[in-house]
Amino acid sequence: MARSFVAEARRRVGPKKQRIRPIIERLIAEHPDAQIALKFRSDLELLVSVMLSAQTTDVNVNRVTATLFEKYKRPEDYLAVPVEELERDVYATGFFRQKTKAIRGTMQRLLEDYDGQVPGRLEELVRLPGVARKTANVVAAELGEAQGVVVDTHVRRLSQRLGLTKEEDPVKIERDLQRLVPREDWGVFPHLLIWHGRRVCIARAPRCADCVVNDLCPSSRI
C-alpha cells in the first residue's frame, strides 16, 4: 500500500482519538457474544487454560482441559504426579515439556507465596514461572480488573489496519492502545478485535463490505 494512499486514507477516516469510541460501540453491537473462548470454572483453571493456550487453539485447549480439570483440582495435584504423567496429560496442546515445567513451577510458587490462590495483580502474575505479560493480562481481565490490553495476532492485525498503531512489537502496541482505549474498555476491547478478526477482518481476505467499521478504517477496500 503506497505511503500517499495510507496518508490519504487516514485523513479520510479522521483522527484515531475521535474514531475509537464509535469503533468500540459498533463492535460491541456486532459481537455481543465476544468473550474468552476458554472454558474454566475457577481462577486456577483459568490460569492453567491460558498457559496451555500458547501456540495452539482455544478449541484444542478446551478439549484437553475437559479431562485435565477432572484430575487436577488444586495446585498440589499438579505436583503430586510424576513429571512424565503431567506431560502426557497436556501433550496434545503442544510444547508439552515447556508447559509442564511452567505449570509445575507456577503451582509451587502459588503454594509458597500465595497460599495456593491465584493473585489478581499483573505485577504478581508475571512473577509466576512461564507467565508472560499477555497471559497475565488475560487472567487479570477475567478475574475482574483489566490492568492492560491483551495483544495477540488478531489484536495486532486489526489495530494496525484500523490505524490505531504503527508498531509491530506487542508491548509497544499495548502501550498505544492503553493511551487510546478508555480504561473501562481494556477488558472487552481485545475480545472485540479477536472475534471481529475471526469473523470479518480475516488475515488473508478481509470482508470489508460486511464490516461495520469500514468507514472508520483507513485500510478498508471499499
Side-chain angles (χ1 to χ4, degrees):
M1 193 179 291
R3 189 183 299 263
S4 59
F5 179 82
V6 172
E8 172 58 32
R10 286 190 169 147
R11 281 195 295 271
R12 171 174 55 82
V13 298
K16 54 191 175 183
K17 287 187 177 181
Q18 292 179 14
R19 290 185 287 121
I20 190 63
R21 173 50 60 193
I23 286 173
I24 293 171
E25 290 175 353
R26 291 189 200 178
L27 290 179
I28 286 174
E30 182 73 2
H31 308 288
D33 53 346
Q35 59 184 341
I36 191 169
L38 296 170
K39 296 180 180 177
F40 56 91
R41 299 165 298 187
S42 68
D43 297 353
L44 187 65
E45 290 185 0
L46 165 65
L47 176 59
V48 173
S49 292
V50 180
M51 293 177 74
L52 291 176
S53 69
Q55 306 298 318
T56 190
T57 65
D58 292 342
V59 171
N60 191 35
V61 173
N62 289 337
R63 188 181 301 119
V64 169
T65 57
T67 53
L68 188 77
F69 291 156
E70 293 305 316
K71 181 176 180 179
Y72 303 91
K73 299 182 182 297
R74 304 172 304 151
E76 295 91 337
D77 298 336
Y78 291 90
L79 300 171
V81 300
V83 172
E84 297 77 14
E85 184 174 344
L86 182 54
E87 286 180 346
R88 286 195 300 272
D89 289 339
V90 303
Y91 176 84
T93 67
F95 300 92
F96 62 95
R97 289 193 179 92
Q98 298 97 309
K99 290 179 180 180
T100 295
K101 181 180 179 181
I103 289 172
R104 286 173 62 88
T106 282
M107 297 306 156
Q108 190 70 47
R109 185 71 58 83
L110 290 180
L111 290 169
E112 290 174 356
D113 297 345
Y114 300 103
D115 198 26
Q117 302 301 306
V118 178
R121 300 299 305 169
L122 200 65
E123 59 269 22
E124 294 175 317
L125 286 164
V126 294
R127 293 196 195 109
L128 300 174
V131 177
R133 185 174 177 87
K134 176 187 166 186
T135 297
N137 265 330
V138 173
V139 173
E142 294 303 316
L143 291 181
E145 185 184 351
Q147 295 150 53
V149 179
V150 175
V151 177
D152 74 345
T153 55
H154 294 290
V155 174
R156 174 181 170 179
R157 183 177 75 254
L158 270 69
S159 295
Q160 291 170 339
R161 284 181 176 174
L162 285 164
L164 306 180
T165 184
K166 297 178 183 178
E167 302 293 345
E168 294 288 340
D169 179 69
V171 174
K172 293 180 179 178
I173 292 173
E174 180 184 4
R175 194 175 300 136
D176 283 348
L177 294 177
Q178 283 179 304
R179 293 192 190 107
L180 193 60
V181 177
R183 190 180 180 99
E184 64 268 22
D185 295 316
W186 283 6
V188 71
F189 187 71
H191 293 311
L192 295 172
L193 294 194
I194 290 167
W195 285 59
H196 197 64
R198 288 172 177 166
R199 292 170 168 173
V200 181
C201 195
I202 300 161
R204 293 184 181 273
R207 295 167 41 220
C208 296
D210 300 320
C211 179
V212 295
V213 294
N214 56 26
D215 61 317
L216 300 171
C217 178
S219 304
S220 177
R221 299 179 182 179
I222 61 169

